[in-house]
Amino acid sequence: GDLGQMDKTFSDSSTDVSFASIVIPTDSGLLFSVFYSNHLNFAAEQSEEDEVFDSLWVDRYTNFNAVEAVVENIGASLAYRFTDRFSGGITVRRNQLELTNYDYFRLDNYKDLEFVIPLLEYGEWPTPEEAAAWFPVINEFREDIHSVDNDDNDLVVDIGLFYKLDKWSFGFAYHAKSEFTFENTYSINIEQSCNQGVDQAKYDTCTKHMIEDESATEDSNQVNVSLPEIISFGAAWRPADTWLFSLDINH
């Protein structure tokens, strides 16, 4: 893979209540219900280092990620039986996403100026032995930190249809897309220093030729997160009172 890009594998489990509802039927054919559902409750973190060596340089990558996400729904549904075979319903739900994410990336780089400084001293590209005598001259590091810690909610409407025959029944449901907006804060810090482990003459030369690229940036921006819309179709066949075969397709 690309340098510094580590594979990440997350695993988590939860024993929270995933669904609960109260259903109230009426004599007029209307059916009313309120419900709670938990679609996601996930937390994990990982830390990894990656080093790339060559005969004259080394890059060291450090990456740490932590993420926690909870998706909960609270809503109400209204259904109506139009005929003995056909019924439909509508749901209004408040979908809430709680998101905490921390991403830390650091690059320690000992590469950029090992060749440049000897080149300035020798007047030509140095031999590997001459360049190695300067190693490591420069220590540059770059830190990137991104973090999100907030929650947002969205109000959406779903619909469902149901048709029943003697032994067959069919259902259709549409779950609308939910959209959330979070504030992402980030900071970038770049620093550069000469290696004092070399002798004084080389340290003075390094300082003289150092490229001034130190910088620090802190800012924030908006991050949009969407939970996808879902279209579902189901069919069921009951060949006998004690047997039921069903198939559900979700897109």
Side-chain angles (χ1 to χ4, degrees):
D2 296 333
L3 301 182
Q5 300 300 310
M6 282 73 73
D7 292 335
K8 304 174 182 65
T9 301
F10 299 103
S11 177
D12 192 24
S13 61
S14 174
T15 57
D16 289 351
V17 174
S18 61
F19 182 81
S21 69
I22 298 175
V23 180
I24 304 173
T26 65
D27 296 335
S28 63
L30 282 172
L31 185 147
F32 177 76
S33 71
V34 293
F35 67 90
Y36 163 83
S37 63
N38 186 322
H39 289 277
L40 179 68
N41 191 342
F42 176 82
E45 63 180 42
Q46 67 85 38
S47 180
E48 190 105 14
E49 289 190 355
D50 187 21
E51 291 184 331
V52 181
F53 290 94
D54 204 332
S55 59
L56 297 175
W57 57 272
V58 58
D59 284 345
R60 181 178 292 111
Y61 302 87
T62 303
N63 189 220
F64 174 79
N65 301 100
V67 61
E68 183 175 355
V70 178
V71 177
E72 296 178 307
N73 287 299
I74 298 176
S77 299
L78 184 67
Y80 183 70
R81 184 186 299 275
F82 299 99
T83 67
D84 290 341
R85 297 184 180 275
F86 179 67
S87 58
I90 186 170
T91 294
V92 178
R93 57 187 170 93
R94 178 181 179 269
N95 198 358
Q96 177 168 306
L97 171 61
E98 300 177 14
L99 179 63
T100 301
N101 180 72
Y102 180 81
D103 187 24
Y104 173 85
F105 180 83
R106 172 167 174 152
L107 166 62
D108 287 278
N109 185 292
Y110 302 95
K111 177 182 179 182
D112 291 349
L113 297 183
E114 299 94 287
F115 287 98
V116 175
I117 293 177
L119 172 62
L120 295 172
E121 294 299 301
Y122 299 129
E124 60 184 17
W125 286 108
T127 64
E129 292 76 16
E130 292 170 334
W134 292 82
F135 176 78
V137 175
I138 293 296
N139 173 24
E140 283 188 309
F141 82 85
R142 173 187 175 119
E143 285 183 329
D144 292 76
I145 301 175
H146 293 256
S147 63
V148 174
D149 187 3
N150 210 331
D151 63 82
D152 193 19
N153 59 80
D154 192 14
L155 192 66
V156 294
V157 177
D158 307 327
I159 61 171
L161 301 173
F162 180 75
Y163 188 76
K164 187 178 185 306
L165 299 174
D166 293 336
K167 293 186 177 182
W168 286 89
S169 58
F170 304 92
F172 169 84
Y174 171 78
H175 299 272
K177 178 173 67 174
S178 300
E179 296 183 320
F180 310 94
T181 301
F182 298 95
E183 183 179 30
N184 170 53
T185 60
Y186 64 89
S187 63
I188 301 173
N189 185 31
I190 302 173
E191 294 185 11
Q192 185 183 87
S193 62
C194 291
N195 177 23
Q196 297 187 14
V198 298
D199 60 45
Q200 187 63 41
K202 292 180 179 178
Y203 179 74
D204 293 342
T205 303
C206 171
T207 304
K208 179 177 64 176
H209 295 302
M210 180 181 291
I211 299 174
E212 297 293 339
D213 66 349
E214 297 185 13
S215 64
T217 301
E218 293 185 8
D219 205 347
S220 63
N221 59 1
Q222 298 294 320
V223 176
N224 296 319
V225 179
S226 297
L227 298 182
E229 61 183 356
I230 302 174
I231 298 175
S232 303
F233 176 79
W237 176 52
R238 186 183 294 275
D241 291 340
T242 56
W243 285 91
L244 177 68
F245 298 92
S246 64
L247 174 67
D248 190 37
I249 300 174
N250 299 286
H251 174 70

